[in-house]
Amino acid sequence: MKLTAEQIQENWDELMEYIEKYISEPRKEKLLEFYEQYSERLMLMPASHKKEYYNAFPGGYVEHVLRVIRCSLKQYDLWASEGMDDSTFNIEELVFSALNHDLGKMGNEEEESYIPQTDQWRKDKLGEDYMFNEKVPFSSVPDRALYLLQSHGIFYTFNEMLAIQTHDGLYDEGNKKYLVSFIPGQKPRTSLPYILHQADLMASRIEFEREWLPKLKGDKKSLESGKENFTLGTKPNTSKKLSTKTKALSSFKSDGLKNMLDNL
Ligand SMILES: [Fe+2]
């Protein structure tokens, strides 16, 4: 899977539209400032560093987040239609949580989490275009997301904190304290964490299927391309790359990102 520079720009614009439409002041302004400040990084980030996971290609992060927002809104309708108590949280909390659930993947203020792979063997043989940046101290993705938001003065509600913190559901053992309890008073008071988890699960599963099912069907050509470093190593048609619409993409300061863009 690879996105053109135009698709990356369109996805970014769509993400900003969700903030404009669903997030209220005063935090809307702060959120837009934050996203603008880190737009270079966020726009081109992959959603993971390995193809075995999902959306490990330039622009994959935003593409994933958009799908999680869309799935969250659809899941909300489904849950509401089946009788969920929709007075326990609001749509802004739903969109804010989906928008920022994986924000911790961007790294810290100074360093990106995922940087271009420097080991040529791993690129060629394993198709790994990215690797973890060891300069970034370890933190779970939800913890870093919440840290980044609070350190930029973007407040979040208790419901949003819980949803972002537990968005991996029981795939993260640490979430058991919130999600595994037989005492009614200790269960989450809203369905928001479950909706976000289902939306994230749905999005990442679909992204996995898109990347891997054609290869797993045994088509030799697909298997070959699975090992190929096709997300960063090949050059699709870039004739539209520097159109006025992609102005933001052409003004990157980061050398790493420029290299990635050159390879798009
Ligand atoms: Fe996610």
Side-chain angles (χ1 to χ4, degrees), residues 54 64-65 68 101-102 105 167-168 200-201 203-204:
Y54 56 87
H64 169 71
V65 171
V68 174
H101 80 283
D102 271 343
K105 289 182 173 178
H167 77 262
D168 280 329
D200 192 33
L201 187 69
S204 51

Side-chain angles (χ1 to χ4, degrees), residues 53-110:
Y53 302 154
Y54 56 87
N55 275 22
F57 50 81
Y61 170 79
V62 173
E63 210 252 0
H64 169 71
V65 171
L66 285 173
R67 185 167 291 100
V68 174
I69 295 173
R70 289 194 304 270
C71 290
S72 293
L73 290 166
K74 288 172 185 169
Q75 287 284 353
Y76 175 89
D77 289 342
L78 179 63
W79 280 65
S81 71
E82 288 296 331
M84 171 191 72
D85 181 350
D86 59 6
S87 70
T88 57
F89 66 99
N90 59 44
I91 297 290
E92 176 171 348
E93 291 180 307
L94 177 72
V95 173
F96 182 93
S97 304
L99 173 75
N100 295 300
H101 80 283
D102 271 343
L103 187 64
K105 289 182 173 178
M106 70 171 262
N108 59 24
E109 277 86 350
E110 295 78 31

